Amino acid sequence: MLSADDLKVFAEVARKGRLTEAAKHLQINHTTVSRSITRLERAVGIRLFDRAHDGWTLTEAGMRLLVHAEAVDAAVRGAQEEYLSQGSALQGHVRVIAPDGFGAYLLIPGLGAVQDQYPGLAVEVVTANRHASLAPREFDLAVTIERPQARALTVTKLVDFGLAFYAAPSYLRSRPQVTSVEDLHAHRLIWYVDDALDHSTFNLLYEVMPSAHAQIQSNNITGHINAATSGLGIALLPTFIAEDIAGLERITQIHANVERSYWLSIPRDLVRLARVQIMTAHIQSLVAERISGSK
């Protein structure tokens, strides 16, 4: 006989990859977690994890069972949130994965309203610019620049956003004037290292300047902004971020059409959870306020 409690523990170990991390998240003793997994493996008659010193990985049988375990876990959590958590009493965690610019400059600064309304809700924001390998069990919501292809997700376009070239006023005053894209070849450019982004997004700069060479490269947008405000060169930045950064000036003479979209993905078995719906509405509100119309 399979226990819903054991399936919940099993799903958490699968997510975390370690007994101790799963126990910490579930707020139970790690020996309780171990007994739960042992009991479940005896019930199904097959090993569900390969144990190693660097973590636990699912066997093929474990991967098959995980589909059912997550469905049971989601159903239980959905019932708890619908009937036991009302209004500001909502409890639990919600994990959002987002690109570094979106997470650091929009989502995190905008968490005040949702935290004030739901003080029992813990929000985990994990910034990541490469999303091709993300598994649905790693997040509750994901904001990505590329449209995800995973089948187990509900995916909607969140918003279109624009990018433009920015630099410190002191840099622009001391360097050759920029009136066209071709003029950028005489300037230091700031961009990502080549393994920081998925291919299509990394190529954004090179769509505008096919022969561009970025002399200053960083794996995150904060590095780009700091380099640009320090007068080190010209950076291609999302306008909804750069327009609010003191010490940056937009190069308006360049009329390159640089646009991308943010996509919102939610694992299908989590869509109806109250905490996921609340965070979805909050993200949509932040986007409508800060990005829509800012291009």
Side-chain angles (χ1 to χ4, degrees):
M1 183 71 177
L2 300 184
S3 159
D5 288 338
D6 289 344
L7 289 172
K8 177 181 179 178
V9 171
F10 165 74
E12 195 58 41
V13 175
R15 294 186 192 106
K16 301 298 185 183
R18 291 181 181 276
L19 231 63
T20 53
E21 291 298 317
K24 186 186 302 182
H25 185 81
L26 293 168
Q27 298 183 327
I28 58 177
N29 190 283
H30 74 277
T31 58
T32 302
V33 174
S34 179
R35 286 196 297 268
S36 188
I37 297 301
T38 300
R39 187 163 52 243
L40 193 58
E41 288 183 328
R42 287 174 179 168
V44 298
I46 194 168
R47 183 176 290 274
L48 301 172
F49 289 98
D50 288 323
R51 281 85 160 165
H53 71 278
D54 58 345
W56 288 25
T57 57
L58 288 168
T59 62
E60 184 177 343
M63 287 188 284
R64 293 198 303 271
L65 182 62
L66 182 61
V67 176
H68 304 290
E70 289 186 329
V72 170
D73 189 30
V76 172
R77 284 182 289 165
Q80 288 176 332
E81 291 184 12
E82 182 172 354
Y83 294 105
L84 302 180
S85 298
Q86 300 295 326
S88 61
L90 182 67
Q91 302 287 322
H93 291 72
V94 59
R95 169 173 281 207
V96 184
I97 292 180
D100 63 334
F102 188 99
Y105 291 91
L106 178 69
L107 182 54
I108 291 175
L111 286 177
V114 75
Q115 288 288 284
D116 288 344
Q117 188 172 359
Y118 304 100
L121 182 64
V123 181
E124 302 173 2
V125 179
V126 179
T127 58
N129 288 325
R130 294 180 65 90
H131 305 108
S133 61
L134 287 180
R137 65 177 179 272
E138 295 177 356
F139 58 88
D140 298 311
L141 301 95
V143 177
T144 61
I145 301 176
E146 286 77 24
R147 192 185 196 284
Q149 301 301 318
R151 296 180 181 178
L153 300 175
T154 295
V155 180
T156 56
K157 181 188 280 192
L158 191 55
V159 69
D160 296 323
F161 67 98
L163 299 95
F165 289 96
Y166 292 84
S170 59
Y171 176 89
L172 294 175
R173 304 299 175 262
S174 63
R175 302 283 174 159
Q177 187 176 8
V178 179
T179 60
S180 67
V181 171
E182 288 69 27
D183 291 337
L184 291 174
H185 290 284
H187 291 264
R188 284 197 300 262
L189 299 178
I190 302 164
W191 192 235
Y192 286 93
V193 296
D194 61 6
D195 61 351
L197 297 173
D198 289 316
H199 183 71
S200 64
T201 304
F202 174 76
N203 280 341
L204 256 177
L205 174 63
Y206 306 99
E207 290 175 10
V208 179
M209 298 176 62
S211 59
H213 174 62
Q215 291 92 335
I216 300 172
Q217 301 177 21
S218 172
N219 67 338
N220 65 76
I221 200 168
T222 301
H224 301 177
I225 291 170
N226 287 336
T229 55
S230 298
L232 298 181
I234 296 174
L236 179 62
L237 299 168
T239 58
F240 76 92
I241 295 174
E243 291 297 320
D244 291 334
I245 302 294
L248 284 183
E249 181 177 319
R250 184 172 180 171
I251 303 174
T252 57
Q253 295 91 334
I254 299 178
H255 299 293
N257 184 26
V258 185
E259 293 188 353
R260 276 298 185 270
S261 302
Y262 285 125
W263 298 84
L264 181 64
S265 302
I266 304 170
R268 288 177 185 165
D269 58 351
L270 303 183
V271 170
R272 297 183 61 185
L273 295 184
R275 56 189 166 83
V276 171
Q277 293 180 357
I278 286 166
M279 187 53 59
T280 297
H282 185 64
I283 289 173
Q284 290 170 338
S285 176
L286 289 175
V287 163
E289 179 183 342
R290 286 283 310 279
I291 301 182
S292 297
S294 68
K295 294 183 285 182

